[in-house]
Amino acid sequence: RNGDGRAVLRSSVREFLCSEAMHYLGIPTSRAASVVVSDDDVWRDQFYNGNIKKERGAIVLRLAKSWFRIGSLEILAHSGELDLQRRLLDFIIQEHFPSIVMNDSNRYLEFFSTVMSETANLIALWMSVGFAHGVCNTDNFSLLSITIDYGPFGFMDSYDPNFVPNTSDDERRYKIGNQANVGLFNLSKLLQALKPLLDPRQQQIASQILEGYGEHYYRRFTELFKTKLGLLGENENDNYLIAFLLKVSLLL
């Protein structure tokens, strides 16, 4: 893509502010500890209108409990390094999933079930504040279900399910209205990576766990939007009302 891999100061400050905002909105996220300004010049077309200008480069120091991603396991499975994958997975479970018993033969199933539900929760939270993650690939999805990447991102000014913050996403694969579906796709890739470590019975159970993703996501999505609307109790028309109001917002 002819990218130089550098960030400019304005985007780095924006990234710093966004992750802090997400933290105080109660959304699991990595946080920015500092911004270091570089003396190197970086050339950027800020408004994509052909007007290239020189800007100052910068580096954001970002902190998180862990940087292990779905891609961390996917790449080992793809290369057939199953012993290393098993050792890494056991380390991740031991360090970050204390509720899972290490000598349990079903620990990888418990791990997958937890990652599935927490990923659904995270994306529902993104949707509740209109946050669009610009590059939702497996290498940017945390196994701890936190927002770890702030490359192209954006918040919707008004409701638009086709909103895309990434100017290079010509196919609108990561549009905000597709985030939940992309989450399911990434979890299916995680399951594919875990399958060599599961016996046939466990593989079947894991597939059933994945099938529950949609229900889990929409339940959490509904809970969050009911809270925003001040709806109390349960009513069979709640989902209809939320969908109707979103549709009205789209027409305004």
Side-chain angles (χ1 to χ4, degrees), residues 166-187:
N166 185 356
T167 56
S168 66
D169 187 4
D170 298 328
E171 298 178 357
R172 295 181 175 269
R173 173 176 173 80
Y174 301 127
K175 64 184 181 181
I176 193 170
N178 200 38
Q179 287 188 141
N181 291 330
V182 172
L184 177 60
F185 175 85
N186 290 342
L187 288 168

Side-chain angles (χ1 to χ4, degrees), residues 4-188:
D4 58 17
R6 296 178 177 178
V8 296
L9 179 58
R10 58 177 169 79
S11 64
S12 299
V13 171
R14 181 172 177 265
E15 178 182 325
F16 194 116
L17 293 174
C18 180
S19 60
E20 287 301 285
M22 294 281 275
H23 172 73
Y24 285 102
L25 285 168
I27 299 174
T29 181
S30 58
R31 298 183 68 182
S34 67
V35 174
V36 180
V37 180
S38 168
D39 291 330
D40 294 338
D41 295 329
V42 182
W43 295 89
R44 287 291 181 269
D45 184 356
Q46 180 178 355
F47 299 108
Y48 300 95
N49 57 6
N51 186 18
I52 299 176
K53 292 184 177 181
K54 183 171 65 177
E55 300 188 50
R56 297 195 68 179
I59 299 172
V60 179
L61 172 61
R62 183 162 295 287
L63 304 177
K65 292 180 180 179
S66 169
W67 294 101
F68 289 121
R69 311 125 186 268
I70 292 177
S72 303
L73 298 176
E74 190 180 14
I75 192 172
L76 294 176
H78 180 73
S79 61
E81 298 181 78
L82 300 185
D83 288 340
L84 181 56
Q85 183 188 5
R86 185 178 289 106
R87 287 163 52 197
L88 176 60
L89 186 53
D90 285 342
F91 173 81
I92 293 171
I93 293 173
Q94 187 171 10
E95 290 294 315
H96 300 292
F97 294 80
S99 63
I100 300 177
V101 179
M102 285 303 301
N103 60 4
D104 187 346
S105 61
N106 291 318
R107 64 186 180 279
Y108 298 153
L109 281 177
E110 293 292 330
F111 166 80
F112 181 67
S113 178
T114 302
V115 174
M116 183 280 291
S117 59
E118 291 304 315
T119 297
N121 289 342
L122 178 64
I123 298 177
L125 283 166
W126 287 354
M127 297 298 291
S128 73
V129 298
F131 174 79
H133 190 301
V135 188
C136 294
N137 56 36
T138 56
D139 204 38
N140 287 330
F141 260 53
S142 163
L143 290 171
L144 273 63
S145 303
I146 59 177
T147 313
I148 56 174
D149 184 75
Y150 288 93
F153 73 87
F155 289 92
M156 288 188 297
D157 293 326
S158 58
Y159 179 68
D160 178 7
N162 292 314
F163 173 67
V164 177
N166 185 356
T167 56
S168 66
D169 187 4
D170 298 328
E171 298 178 357
R172 295 181 175 269
R173 173 176 173 80
Y174 301 127
K175 64 184 181 181
I176 193 170
N178 200 38
Q179 287 188 141
N181 291 330
V182 172
L184 177 60
F185 175 85
N186 290 342
L187 288 168
S188 70

